[in-house]
Amino acid sequence: LGLDFCLHTVNYDVHYLQSANADWQYAAGVSGMWQYSENLGEEYLIPSYRLFDAGIFASVTRQFHNLTLSGGLRYDIRRLHSYEQEDEGELRFTDFTRNFQGLTGSVGAIYNVTPKLNIRLNLSKGFRAPNLSELGSNGEHEGTFRYELGNRHLSPEHSWQLDFGIDYSSEIIFMQLSLFANHISN
């Protein structure tokens, strides 16, 4: 077989949601993934690898008469280990380990001007660790007719987003206007 690999994946998610009363809601939890991938074929684009992701999060929402406030935080870690692999006696992939961590969060508000008209405002911070293809690929990608070469020194992406929106809904019409600005680094 040309392309043949075995990928084992375990996803997990445990969360707790509590409505203390009609005005407050809390949520907290842990989620993540474990993966082990092994190249078994004669052709390969990425090395065999082992990956572990974990994230812990919490959020709170507070309802006032015409105003809803919400906020949340999440902390993530990723540990990725890529295995050395040879192709016809030549080193194709080097052995490397990368660890990433990042904090994400958001705070937002929805104001009910009338029962049919809402104004929304949200500020959020994001984080994305590079995946194995971006870090360790080394080979021809047959589906795209190109040669891909990863960079194991990539840094994680960090972002900030501000968004503002207005929405109107009635029995016969729904209208929404959303404006947003993003700043993404790395």
Side-chain angles (χ1 to χ4, degrees):
L1 294 172
L3 293 174
D4 185 19
F5 68 94
C6 183
L7 176 63
H8 302 275
T9 302
V10 176
N11 292 303
Y12 61 92
D13 179 23
V14 176
H15 60 273
Y16 176 74
L17 176 64
Q18 178 184 5
S19 295
N21 58 44
D23 296 333
W24 288 91
Q25 283 190 342
Y26 305 96
V30 209
S31 63
M33 173 176 63
W34 170 86
Q35 283 187 329
Y36 176 72
S37 174
E38 184 179 11
N39 284 323
L40 303 172
E42 298 170 3
E43 299 176 21
Y44 28 85
L45 178 61
I46 60 174
S48 298
Y49 68 93
R50 189 178 66 243
L51 176 137
F52 178 74
D53 281 337
I56 184 168
F57 60 89
S59 67
V60 64
T61 301
R62 172 72 162 106
Q63 179 70 45
F64 298 94
H65 179 66
N66 287 350
L67 180 66
T68 304
L69 298 176
S70 62
L73 287 173
R74 180 179 173 103
Y75 180 74
D76 284 282
I77 60 169
R78 169 174 283 181
R79 179 174 173 80
L80 175 68
H81 180 79
S82 170
Y83 294 99
E84 181 178 291
Q85 191 166 351
E86 291 185 1
D87 184 12
E88 296 179 2
E90 292 187 30
L91 185 63
R92 173 89 171 265
F93 300 110
T94 59
D95 187 81
F96 71 88
T97 299
R98 291 292 309 271
N99 294 304
F100 301 99
Q101 56 187 338
L103 184 67
T104 58
S106 70
V107 61
I110 303 171
Y111 181 68
N112 306 106
V113 180
T114 71
K116 296 180 179 182
L117 180 65
N118 298 308
I119 297 175
R120 303 169 186 274
L121 183 65
N122 189 63
L123 175 66
S124 58
K125 180 188 182 311
F127 161 81
R128 187 186 76 84
N131 63 43
L132 183 66
S133 294
E134 295 166 325
L135 295 168
S137 62
N138 185 3
E140 186 176 337
H141 191 291
E142 299 289 344
T144 61
F145 302 106
R146 67 179 181 204
Y147 195 92
E148 294 184 6
L149 186 60
N151 178 353
R152 68 180 180 178
H153 302 290
L154 288 176
S155 298
E157 292 177 359
H158 294 276
S159 66
W160 284 96
Q161 178 171 313
L162 176 66
D163 57 85
F164 171 78
I166 299 174
D167 61 73
Y168 176 82
S169 62
S170 71
E171 295 78 26
I172 59 171
I173 193 168
F174 176 78
M175 294 187 306
Q176 184 176 34
L177 172 68
S178 296
L179 305 170
F180 62 92
N182 284 325
H183 173 75
I184 302 170
S185 60
N186 295 332

